[in-house]
Amino acid sequence: MKKLFLLLSIVTLLASCGTSKQLTPAEIKAMTTIQINESYDLVFSSTVSFLQSQGFLITNADKATGFITASWQEDNNLAIFSKIFFGSATESSTAHTSVFIQKLRDDLTEVKLTLYQGKVESDLIGESQTESKTVTNSLVRRAETYQNWFDALKKEVENRKALLQQYSGD
């Protein structure tokens, strides 16, 4: 009986380690929002430039509303072999982002970034080998990921500002 109790306790402990804490909307907002002490125009163009340099395809960039959407996809070149041998494969890894940029003052801009990670999976079904695809996306909930993105975005803003000053003669 003690062994069974110990085994159940270990399984419960391991299972609880694997589950992540549910974040409140306030925690998500705090994690996904920053203010940058620069002009709206500079932050907007830097954000578009940064996303492109990360390999994202910009699907929408509307400077009037401050809204940018972008996606990224990396195909798995070995997916066909996995489908042949195992009947299923992860065809690609994906990422999607939406960014809302808002001017707070002439020298202060707020950036709200939402990241989603996902994948495209396919399975061969039945004797006819009909292919079924499943697309999944989930919100990235790691604060470190957002902090890394914001740090890199701030560097892009600094670089673009220096570049603009160099070419304007200031």
Side-chain angles (χ1 to χ4, degrees):
M1 185 61 122
K2 288 183 182 181
K3 287 183 183 181
L4 179 61
F5 178 74
L6 180 62
L7 180 62
L8 287 174
S9 297
I10 291 172
V11 168
T12 303
L13 177 64
L14 290 175
S16 68
C17 290
T19 59
S20 62
K21 174 187 166 230
Q22 263 314 70
L23 298 174
T24 66
E27 290 171 322
I28 291 172
K29 181 179 180 182
M31 173 178 70
T32 63
T33 307
I34 63 163
Q35 279 104 31
I36 298 176
N37 292 316
E38 293 297 343
S39 72
Y40 173 85
D41 289 341
L42 179 60
V43 173
F44 189 90
S45 63
S46 297
T47 303
V48 171
S49 175
F50 172 70
L51 288 167
Q52 287 179 324
S53 70
Q54 297 300 308
F56 277 78
L57 172 66
I58 307 295
T59 53
N60 180 49
D62 187 343
K63 194 171 181 181
T65 63
F67 198 66
I68 302 168
T69 57
S71 61
W72 171 89
Q73 180 170 325
E74 184 173 336
D75 294 331
N76 176 2
N77 295 330
L78 301 175
I80 187 71
F81 298 112
S82 183
K83 278 193 276 186
I84 290 168
F85 292 113
F86 304 111
S88 65
T90 298
E91 298 225 359
S92 59
S93 298
T94 61
H96 303 279
T97 185
S98 63
V99 185
F100 176 61
I101 302 170
Q102 184 176 21
K103 176 181 176 178
L104 300 177
R105 294 190 316 245
D106 286 345
D107 64 342
L108 184 64
T109 305
E110 186 172 74
V111 178
K112 295 180 182 187
L113 169 72
T114 309
L115 294 167
Y116 292 87
Q117 62 186 5
K119 58 186 170 183
V120 177
E121 296 178 303
S122 61
D123 294 302
L124 297 176
I125 302 171
E127 292 178 20
S128 65
Q129 298 293 291
T130 305
E131 188 172 39
S132 167
K133 289 195 185 234
T134 306
V135 177
T136 58
N137 287 296
S138 60
L139 177 68
V140 174
R141 295 179 179 271
R142 292 187 62 228
E144 305 86 47
T145 301
Y146 289 95
Q147 189 58 54
N148 290 340
W149 272 71
F150 288 140
D151 290 345
L153 176 59
K154 287 177 188 176
K155 286 181 185 174
E156 180 69 22
V157 169
E158 291 171 15
N159 291 341
R160 290 191 74 73
K161 182 178 180 180
L163 185 66
L164 290 170
Q165 287 175 344
Q166 176 185 355
Y167 285 107
S168 69
D170 290 345

